[in-house]
Structures are given as C-alpha cells and as structure tokens.
Amino acid sequence: MRGVFVTGTLSMKNARKQSDWDILLVLAKGRIWIGRLFVGIILHVLGKRRHDEKVEKRFCLNHYITENGLILEEHSTYCAYFTTFSFPVVGGAIHKRFLQLNEQWVRSCYPNYRKDELTEADIFKVSESPSSAQKASEFFLEITRLAPFIDKVAKKMMIHKIRKNPKTHLEHADIRCNDTALIFLPNPHRIKVARIAKEKLTKLAE
C-alpha cells in the first residue's frame, strides 16, 4: 500500500449518513493484483468492505492504481473534479505527486486550477511511508518469491471473475483491468451527472 486517497461525496463534504466511503488506492509497482486481494480480504474480515446491499460506512473498492500509473487514463471534467477534490489519509507525498502529474490535463478542464492552492484536511494525520509491519511483510513476500506467485494467480482469477460478471457488460460500464489500473464502475456516476446537466441545459434553452 502506497497511498489511500478519499474521493467522492466524502471528499466533497456532502456525504450522507447512509453513504459509503469512496477511496482511490495506490499500490506498489507490479503488485496491483496481490494488493487488491489483501486489501479486500482485510476489509471484509473487518466488516468494512462494501458488497451487495451492505453500503453504509463501508469502503467502496472500485479504483486502484499503481505508483507508476498515477496519471489517470480518462481526462474528463468529472475526473478532473474527482482528482482535485481527493485528499490523502495515507501517502501525503505520493498524493502531491498524483496532483502534479495530472495537473496539465486538469487545467484543460479548469483553467484556473493550481495544485498549490489545494489544502489538505488538517484533521487527518497523513502517513508518508509504509509502517514497519508493512515493510517487513513486503520483504518476506518478496524474498520468498511468494509475492510474484500470488500476484500472478490473483490476476488470473480476478480477470476470469471480472469477465464472467454480468455487470461488466452493461452499456455504460467502465471496467478496466491491467497491471497499472483496476477500475470497477458498472454504473459510473459521471453518466448520471452528465444526464442531469444535459436536462438542465435543455430546460434553459426552451
């Protein structure tokens, strides 16, 4: 784990009591599959992973990137909004790098945006580096060669499961899975936002 960035309604300070917690997870280079596996298992055991109808105060694990894939693939107005309103709870330094690398295309959507003007929430203690326990665990998995083996197996299983999932094939689904980004959005919120905006513009034009 290299970074945990809060996004969505929570980062925009308009979350409701029944809302889930949207987060963007940054994982180590070449270890996105094993990272997703371990994060999912840990949060599921803790009862904090969103699934089925269990939503309130649970983490929505729908967006992972690696430390060498910090530039977002989609350069839309909604993604620019998503990026600029994100803030870190783990990985303050990598979050600044994330903003820096995406600044150019974000400014094409919001010309007045400057990353230095963004203030992080002071109530959170931003962790700059992995804990000793995490470093020890990663060292063990790498030195024993378990990490690449588990990552390879997890990749095969997850891709198979993603392809079989009916939600993957919905008309507007945004499903991306590669070694630098995993995105699982069967019903992307930006589609709803764009539809509402279009309806409002249509009414204004009438």
Side-chain angles (χ1 to χ4, degrees):
M1 184 80 68
R2 297 295 179 266
V4 179
F5 308 158
V6 175
T7 62
T9 57
L10 186 58
S11 69
M12 299 173 192
K13 300 179 177 61
N14 62 358
R16 297 174 295 174
K17 181 181 178 181
Q18 63 270 33
S19 296
D20 59 3
W21 300 331
D22 292 306
I23 54 174
L24 169 61
L25 294 166
V26 182
L27 303 173
K29 177 182 178 181
R31 295 292 178 259
I32 197 167
W33 305 98
I34 187 175
R36 184 196 176 215
L37 176 65
F38 284 172
V39 169
I41 290 174
I42 291 170
L43 291 182
H44 189 79
V45 170
L46 295 175
K48 286 297 180 180
R49 182 177 71 87
R50 173 180 173 168
H51 62 97
D52 301 324
E53 300 301 319
K54 298 179 180 180
V55 176
E56 184 178 338
K57 296 181 181 179
R58 289 173 178 254
F59 291 100
C60 183
L61 304 175
N62 59 17
H63 200 165
Y64 303 77
I65 57 177
T66 58
E67 56 191 338
N68 63 317
L70 294 176
I71 300 178
L72 299 182
E73 295 179 17
E74 183 178 341
H75 298 169
S76 65
T77 301
Y78 181 81
C79 284
Y81 202 64
F82 163 94
T83 300
T84 57
F85 271 87
S86 66
F87 65 85
V89 291
V90 173
I94 202 165
H95 182 258
K96 291 178 181 178
R97 179 67 173 159
F98 170 70
L99 294 179
Q100 180 185 42
L101 289 173
N102 288 284
E103 183 179 13
Q104 185 174 357
W105 73 262
V106 167
R107 288 178 62 184
S108 68
C109 299
Y110 299 113
N112 295 325
Y113 168 72
R114 297 291 185 278
K115 70 177 180 62
D116 292 335
E117 296 175 2
L118 195 69
T119 58
E120 296 171 356
D122 295 329
I123 59 173
F124 289 96
K125 181 180 179 181
V126 179
S127 174
E128 294 297 334
S129 61
S131 66
S132 298
Q134 181 179 332
K135 289 180 180 179
S137 299
E138 290 182 359
F139 178 77
F140 173 78
L141 289 171
E142 294 294 342
I143 200 70
T144 59
R145 301 298 296 165
L146 281 171
F149 173 74
I150 297 174
D151 193 76
K152 183 177 180 180
V153 173
K155 177 180 180 178
K156 185 176 181 179
M157 292 175 59
M158 289 177 187
I159 290 179
H160 177 71
K161 184 176 180 180
I162 290 167
R163 288 175 177 170
K164 287 188 64 177
N165 192 331
K167 293 181 179 180
T168 297
H169 308 288
L170 293 176
E171 182 180 0
H172 297 294
D174 183 2
I175 311 295
R176 283 173 261 176
C177 50
N178 54 59
D179 292 334
T180 59
L182 296 175
I183 300 175
F184 308 93
L185 299 170
N187 296 291
H189 185 63
R190 64 179 179 274
I191 301 296
K192 180 180 177 180
V193 171
R195 177 177 55 78
I196 293 174
K198 184 177 180 180
E199 290 173 354
K200 289 183 177 179
L201 287 174
T202 301
K203 289 181 179 179
L204 288 173
E206 291 176 351

